[in-house]
């Protein structure tokens, strides 16, 4: 099952559980595993027999996953190389504790990772942080193959051995951060999952929101590190009693999504003017931060504590916001 067939697999599952509208974003459909059923079966057997190491290069290439221990990809924008991708910090996406010695590490690289709703007004200016996915090219692994992958912190050494990940490498840090987040206790009022396949992602969203859905995402990340002019700001989800599902792409060997549901969230579509053209971004604002950790970077940056202010952030590359429609 190669190329178009792989995309069709996601599209067929999507159509069965969500319907014909909306269509899956092209970039999400492109994350379908390119492995055929035969290839997946062969590699599954190699994993079971602890023989994958001698076939690792072939597996990573055919599965389109990131086996390099320092897998970061530089991206360009209109012929100019952007600054290095910001060192990913899983805490930034999951509203947990940030080490005190690096309270503004993301912000210092340019842009505001968190901000107040009042800061995003038409005609105003806003410094945009790095919205790029460090490993945007990765595919999901087949759901059947994931049953043989030890995706748990208790078996992290086994996982690293399977994929040849070197201790203290970038990939080692990504694996540890992501699995810790996927096994953490949820914040009060939060429901979450770590989806390691497109089917898992669709199942979680449908379970939380039903079959009548809208999906919101961004198409490009040229605005990273730019000071932009804010255009129109449109509320696209304002029902605080009907929480959306937010899905964040996690840095890992293969595609993993951290999808969670929070109460009291509004979502906005924001037009921005960058280099004489209009681009589009998605903003999520959390109105109940009372259960967030007091050491969260948002409070350090904005100067308030939990439960006092709303906190807003942009949706990053390959991130998604799902909302319920009336059907």
């Amino acid at each position: 099952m190669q190329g178009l067939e792989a995309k069709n697999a996601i599209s067929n599952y999507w159509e069965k559980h969500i319907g014909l509208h909306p269509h899956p974003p092209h970039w999400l459909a492109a994350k379908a595993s390119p492995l055929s059923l035969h290839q997946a079966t062969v590699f599954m057997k190699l994993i079971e027999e602890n023989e994958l190491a001698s076939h690792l290069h072939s597996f990573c290439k055919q599965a389109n996953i990131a086996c390099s221990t320092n897998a970061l990809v530089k991206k360009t924008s209109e012929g100019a190389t952007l600054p290095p991708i910001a060192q990913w910090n899983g805490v930034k996406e999951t509203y947990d504790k940030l080490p005190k010695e690096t309270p503004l590490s993301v912000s210092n690289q340019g842009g505001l990772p968190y901000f107040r709703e009042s800061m995003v007004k038409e005609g105003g200016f806003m410094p945009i942080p790095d919205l790029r996915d460090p490993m945007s090219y990765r595919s999901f692994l087949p759901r059947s193959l994931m049953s043989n992958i030890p995706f748990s912190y208790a078996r992290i050494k086994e996982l690293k051995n399977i994929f040849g990940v070197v201790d203290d490498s970038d990939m080692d840090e990504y694996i540890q951060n992501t699995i810790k987040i996927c096994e953490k206790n949820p914040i009060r009022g939060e429901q979450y999952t770590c989806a390691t396949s497109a089917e898992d992602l669709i199942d979680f969203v449908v379970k939380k929101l039903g079959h009548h859905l809208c999906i919101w995402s961004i198409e490009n990340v040229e605005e990273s590190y730019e000071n932009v002019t804010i255009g129109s700001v449109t509320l696209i989800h304002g029902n605080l009693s009907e929480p959306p599902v937010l899905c964040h792409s996690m840095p890992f060997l293969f595609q993993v999504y951290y999808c969670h549901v929070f109460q009291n969230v509004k979502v906005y579509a924001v037009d921005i003017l960058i280099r004489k053209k209009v681009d589009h971004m998605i903003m999520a604002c959390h109105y109940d931060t009372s259960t967030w950790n007091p050491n969260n970077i948002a409070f350090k940056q904005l100067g308030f504590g939990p439960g006092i202010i709303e906190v807003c952030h942009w949706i990053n590359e390959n991130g998604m916001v799902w909302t319920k429609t009336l059907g």
Side-chain angles (χ1 to χ4, degrees), residues 26-288:
H26 65 86
W27 54 264
L28 179 60
K31 287 184 173 294
S33 174
L35 294 177
S36 67
L37 180 59
H38 172 71
Q39 289 171 322
T41 302
V42 169
F43 288 126
M44 189 183 305
K45 186 175 181 180
L46 289 172
I47 293 173
E48 291 173 347
E49 297 175 351
N50 200 28
E51 295 289 339
L52 185 65
S54 58
H55 302 270
L56 188 60
H57 178 74
S58 174
F59 172 62
C60 295
K61 184 176 181 180
Q62 292 181 50
N64 190 38
I65 63 175
C67 289
S68 169
T69 59
N70 292 285
L72 283 177
V73 178
K74 288 185 178 179
K75 297 191 176 183
T76 60
S77 174
E78 296 188 352
T81 300
L82 291 169
I85 291 176
Q87 184 70 13
W88 181 88
N89 192 326
V91 184
K92 178 168 70 74
E93 295 289 8
T94 55
Y95 324 117
D96 207 342
K97 186 175 180 179
L98 186 80
K100 293 181 179 179
E101 63 271 16
T102 56
L104 295 176
S105 59
V106 179
S107 180
N108 287 341
Q109 298 190 41
L112 298 176
Y114 296 105
F115 44 90
R116 301 290 304 274
E117 181 183 13
S118 60
M119 297 168 67
V120 184
K121 297 294 184 184
E122 186 169 0
F125 297 92
M126 173 72 76
I128 303 300
D130 193 351
L131 301 178
R132 294 170 291 173
D133 184 340
M135 292 174 283
S136 179
Y137 58 89
R138 296 157 303 151
S139 296
F140 287 109
L141 285 179
R143 202 180 214 180
S144 58
L145 191 58
M146 275 305 304
S147 63
N148 283 57
I149 303 295
F151 190 78
S152 71
Y153 202 81
R155 300 177 64 188
I156 197 167
K157 287 186 178 180
E158 185 181 348
L159 175 67
K160 288 165 58 178
N161 286 337
I162 289 174
F163 291 99
V165 176
V166 177
D167 288 346
D168 300 320
S169 62
D170 287 345
M171 185 60 76
D172 183 19
E173 182 180 352
Y174 292 160
I175 288 173
Q176 293 201 45
N177 284 341
T178 293
I179 292 181
K180 284 179 182 177
I181 287 167
C182 289
E183 294 184 349
K184 72 178 181 67
N185 292 323
I187 298 172
R188 182 163 54 86
E190 179 193 27
Q191 303 170 60
Y192 80 88
T193 191
C194 279
T196 56
S197 71
E199 294 89 346
D200 287 347
L201 188 153
I202 292 170
D203 288 350
F204 179 79
V205 172
V206 169
K207 180 181 179 181
K208 298 303 176 185
L209 301 181
H211 299 276
H212 302 291
L213 304 166
C214 285
I215 180 171
W216 311 88
S217 61
I218 60 175
E219 287 294 321
N220 63 67
V221 289
E222 292 182 4
E223 59 273 1
S224 291
Y225 292 110
E226 294 280 352
N227 288 311
V228 304
T229 301
I230 303 297
S232 63
V233 180
T234 305
L235 179 68
I236 57 179
H237 177 80
N239 188 343
L240 296 181
S241 64
E242 291 278 4
V245 174
L246 278 62
C247 293
H248 307 283
S249 179
M250 306 295 282
F252 204 73
L253 297 151
F254 41 85
Q255 184 62 59
V256 175
Y257 274 100
Y258 178 86
C259 294
H260 59 162
V261 178
F262 266 123
Q263 298 287 339
N264 300 309
V265 175
K266 289 184 180 180
V267 183
Y268 297 84
V270 181
D271 289 343
I272 62 171
L273 183 64
I274 175 174
R275 291 191 290 274
K276 297 183 179 181
K277 69 176 184 178
V278 176
D279 205 348
H280 311 282
M281 299 178 65
I282 302 298
M283 175 177 79
C285 292
H286 299 260
Y287 288 84
D288 182 3

Side-chain angles (χ1 to χ4, degrees), residues 272-313:
I272 62 171
L273 183 64
I274 175 174
R275 291 191 290 274
K276 297 183 179 181
K277 69 176 184 178
V278 176
D279 205 348
H280 311 282
M281 299 178 65
I282 302 298
M283 175 177 79
C285 292
H286 299 260
Y287 288 84
D288 182 3
T289 60
S290 60
T291 61
W292 292 21
N293 192 296
N295 289 320
N296 188 290
I297 184 176
F299 303 134
K300 292 179 179 294
Q301 178 186 312
L302 298 173
F304 293 87
I308 300 174
I309 59 169
E310 86 293 341
V311 173
C312 302
H313 62 85

